[in-house]
Amino acid sequence: MIRVADEKTSAVQELSEETFNARTAETPACVVDFYATWCPHCRAFRPVYEEVAGACDTPVTFYAADVEKCEEAAGRFNVRSIPTVVILKDGQPVDTHIGAMTPEALREWVATKCEV
């Protein structure tokens, strides 16, 4: 099962259907990992995602959204496979990546798309 870290101890903040729109819109640049607790690929990717989020010293916010708890948001971003990672700027999608990435690939992708 994916460990959903306490926001006080993790650089990854968990979103709910109720908080998704407000939190992603108020953040100039953010990354959202759409996942499911039952998905083995998501479980394997989560430590990578948390590592990159924790090491990121730029103004990019890292969020996680369980597709079973954020169905509307997952549908709006056309999430059909998980993990799916979406970069948003001012609440608008900039790019989407389907599948896991290495820490290096994730860092480079975020830096390039967020222009940090």
Side-chain angles (χ1 to χ4, degrees):
M1 178 175 260
I2 294 176
R3 177 181 60 82
V4 177
D6 182 330
E7 288 185 22
K8 295 175 183 165
T9 61
S10 175
V12 177
Q13 300 174 40
E14 192 69 23
L15 295 172
S16 67
E17 199 73 74
E18 294 77 28
T19 62
F20 191 95
N21 292 334
R23 293 181 88 193
T24 58
E26 72 188 9
T27 308
C30 66
V31 184
V32 180
D33 173 26
F34 285 94
Y35 73 95
T37 57
W38 49 262
C39 170
H41 301 291
C42 299
R43 287 193 305 265
F45 178 61
R46 188 58 176 259
V48 171
Y49 189 70
E50 288 185 359
E51 173 189 329
V52 172
C56 189
D57 59 356
T58 60
V60 176
T61 304
F62 286 77
Y63 293 117
D66 184 332
V67 295
E68 293 181 342
K69 295 179 182 174
C70 296
E71 291 181 32
E72 183 181 309
R76 192 174 56 230
F77 292 101
N78 202 30
V79 175
R80 300 287 179 251
S81 296
I82 49 177
T84 291
V85 185
V86 179
I87 293 178
L88 303 168
K89 280 185 154 180
D90 299 317
Q92 299 302 310
V94 173
D95 200 8
T96 300
H97 184 278
I98 299 169
M101 292 180 261
T102 64
E104 297 77 21
L106 178 58
R107 273 191 288 275
E108 183 177 327
W109 183 64
V110 170
T112 300
K113 298 301 177 177
C114 293
E115 299 173 9
V116 294

